[in-house]
Amino acid sequence: MRTTMKPALVAAASVIGIGASGLAYGAIEARRFVVRRVEVPILTPGSAPLRILHMSDVHLLVRQNAKRKFIRELAALEPDLVINSGDNFCSAEALQPLLDDMSGLLTRPGAFVFGSNDYLVPKFKNPLSYLVRGRSHLTDEAVPELPHEELRQAFTTAGWLDLNDNSGTLEVAGHRLAFRGTDDAHHNRDHYEKVAGPADSDADLNIGVTHAPYLKILDAMVSDDMDIVFAGHTHGGQVCLPFTGAIITNCDLDTDRVKGLSKHTCDGRTAWLHVSAGIGCSPFAPYRTFCRPEATLLTLMPRPR
């Protein structure tokens, strides 16, 4: 006897099949690492170019061999400067492998801020909650800490600037660079007032760095005349749709600027903004769709005369 599935069952089966296929592809794309290359016309005319490697959201686990290989290979890009915008590792066991894999980069000038997954071990969150609430939230439950002070010491011992609610300067490839940054705004660790104030008029470039690109931070930095701001955290939306792109940003930044180079304007001032889509993702959501994991090599160029 021949039976026929009801239309509702057919539709449900189709949705389940599409979802399963999407997750399967997403797990593959999460390992398709790529180096983006971008030119930014920001330096004074006649200046020598400056190459900045922006890396973010590594979320390293020891077993992630493909990711570790990609990180080791970044040193071959020979950047003049490395900017790390946080969320480096997911377990205490991953700290030394992370430092080993970054050893070639740690010989170069650098600056860093921390994200929530430099401080706390990640916990499972229902992915649908991002769609309902728009962003993840800090839990009231006790969460184990990661060895963030050991990470901080390793970075600063290498000569990298700690920009967590801090500022500083570096001489890099003939350029005097002034930096300011905030601690993680996603978990309310940020205190921009500690670095607020006019830009350094003696610097060739004023650079802002923050983990999560919340508008309050971007507005403050641009109002204070930063030339360019670097951030991560968004994972580029992580699960994106063809043609329309990101669904969420996990902060209050609009989806049009969830990754890549754009501009931000506040109080009549405009600065460049670079948001990294990141190298990794949460171990509880190890997939990406239409959003490959990335690091970006930005070549800062002289502005047209």
Side-chain angles (χ1 to χ4, degrees), residues 84-99:
N84 181 309
S85 49
D87 273 7
N88 286 279
F89 59 147
C90 288
S91 71
E93 294 76 17
L95 174 59
Q96 192 56 52
L98 171 74
L99 296 175

Side-chain angles (χ1 to χ4, degrees), residues 177-198:
L177 307 179
F179 297 85
R180 66 181 62 178
T182 73
D183 210 333
D184 177 36
H186 191 59
H187 282 179
N188 302 314
R189 293 176 180 263
D190 58 302
H191 300 90
Y192 183 73
E193 66 274 10
K194 292 184 178 181
V195 295

